[in-house]
Amino acid sequence: MALEVKGIVAGYTKEVPILNGVDLTAEDGLVTVILGPNGAGKSTLLKTIYGYLRPVQGTVRHNGTELVRLKPKDMLHEGIAYLIQGHSIFPRMSVEENLELGAWIFRGQKPRIDEALERVYKDFPRLKEKRRLAAGVLSGGEQRMLEIARLTMTRPRTLLLDEPSVGLMPRLVDEVYEQIAHLKEEGYTLLIVDQNVKKSIQIADYVYVLELGRNTRQGPKAEFEQRLESIIREWL
């Protein structure tokens, strides 16, 4: 397994935990989706995995390595990249300069960075066409594409995606999920949080549901496809 979370208790203060004993496993090469109503702790879980929050209890292991004591700057070395919620491009920098930032652990190794750019441009040809443009002039969908492409510059094993479709028009949501499906085909391990339940379940292999910081349901996506509407009605 790529990622294993056990008994995580965490929050923004020690007195008020948001997560109350969460367990989760993301298997190698599969798409694991975390669902739940607003305030369930989904984004908090990703921040805890990536080291932005240190849990009060529990363990997080990635390919056998304990992550709890590591800082966010260490995660890329451990083969984990994280798409934060909201926009993270540098609008005045070029598309290519934004991509190069994703390979900061290769600094001083220009041949390695050039090789990574060549590979990413092959996977994202539209970004190659616009590589000299300021990232801020890209459309919303292209900016999200740039953020996702930047995650892959060092070929991490596991990608954490927090609300990849947030703020996008439906047409652009389809485009972004096409790119995520391509990442799945490339063999990345994906852990996704998104309010777009239907789109995320379409590409999921396994689903976890969080409510009030606890696991309430889990299973293969087929179990959730059959009762998707009733689950959404519950949350609303």
Side-chain angles (χ1 to χ4, degrees), residues 87 139-142 144 164-177 196 199:
H87 295 292
S139 70
E142 289 170 338
R144 192 57 45 83
S165 70
V166 67
L168 298 179
M169 296 183 296
R171 175 179 58 81
L172 297 179
V173 171
D174 291 342
E175 202 169 282
V176 166
Y177 266 91
N196 195 316
K199 278 293 178 185

Side-chain angles (χ1 to χ4, degrees), residues 159-223:
L159 304 180
L160 312 180
L161 307 181
D162 193 355
E163 302 283 1
S165 70
V166 67
L168 298 179
M169 296 183 296
R171 175 179 58 81
L172 297 179
V173 171
D174 291 342
E175 202 169 282
V176 166
Y177 266 91
E178 285 176 13
Q179 295 298 334
I180 295 173
H182 177 68
L183 294 176
K184 177 180 179 179
E185 292 170 2
E186 291 287 310
Y188 287 97
T189 301
L190 295 159
L191 182 60
I192 302 175
V193 165
D194 205 340
Q195 289 295 326
N196 195 316
V197 176
K198 290 183 179 180
K199 278 293 178 185
S200 57
I201 281 188
Q202 281 176 9
I203 66 166
D205 293 295
Y206 202 83
V207 177
Y208 286 86
V209 175
L210 294 187
E211 295 183 59
L212 298 176
R214 297 181 183 277
N215 300 81
T216 56
R217 280 171 277 192
Q218 68 182 73
K221 81 169 183 179
E223 294 182 12

Side-chain angles (χ1 to χ4, degrees), residues 217-218 222-232 234:
R217 280 171 277 192
Q218 68 182 73
E223 294 182 12
F224 290 85
E225 285 178 315
Q226 297 167 3
R227 48 195 178 93
L228 185 57
E229 298 298 332
S230 64
I231 291 172
I232 294 173
E234 282 179 32

Side-chain angles (χ1 to χ4, degrees), residues 8-14 16-19 41-57 60 67-72 75 82:
I8 285 294
V9 176
Y12 301 95
T13 67
K14 291 183 179 180
V16 185
I18 305 298
L19 304 175
K42 305 183 298 297
S43 294
T44 301
L45 178 56
L46 295 191
K47 290 175 184 175
T48 304
I49 291 170
Y50 206 71
Y52 286 115
L53 296 173
R54 182 166 289 183
V56 177
Q57 296 177 30
V60 181
L67 303 182
V68 164
R69 297 295 174 186
L70 300 183
K71 297 179 180 179
M75 296 300 173
Y82 177 32

Side-chain angles (χ1 to χ4, degrees), residues 114-128:
D114 289 343
E115 181 183 345
L117 284 170
E118 184 178 347
R119 174 178 46 77
V120 167
Y121 285 144
K122 184 178 179 181
D123 290 337
F124 299 86
R126 195 185 313 177
L127 295 181
K128 183 175 183 180

Side-chain angles (χ1 to χ4, degrees), residues 18-43:
I18 305 298
L19 304 175
N20 293 282
V22 173
D23 298 315
L24 177 145
T25 298
E27 299 285 354
D28 271 332
L30 300 184
V31 176
T32 302
V33 170
I34 307 171
L35 302 179
N38 287 334
K42 305 183 298 297
S43 294

Side-chain angles (χ1 to χ4, degrees), residues 101-163:
L101 289 174
W104 66 269
I105 63 173
F106 295 164
R107 58 191 180 278
Q109 305 176 58
K110 190 175 185 304
R112 202 169 181 185
I113 294 173
D114 289 343
E115 181 183 345
L117 284 170
E118 184 178 347
R119 174 178 46 77
V120 167
Y121 285 144
K122 184 178 179 181
D123 290 337
F124 299 86
R126 195 185 313 177
L127 295 181
K128 183 175 183 180
E129 295 170 8
K130 303 189 176 187
R131 64 189 183 277
R132 303 301 179 201
L133 295 179
V137 307
L138 301 181
S139 70
E142 289 170 338
Q143 290 182 13
R144 192 57 45 83
M145 184 188 302
L146 173 57
E147 292 171 318
I148 292 171
R150 187 172 59 195
L151 296 182
T152 70
M153 282 287 289
T154 59
R155 292 300 294 263
R157 187 167 181 174
T158 301
L159 304 180
L160 312 180
L161 307 181
D162 193 355
E163 302 283 1

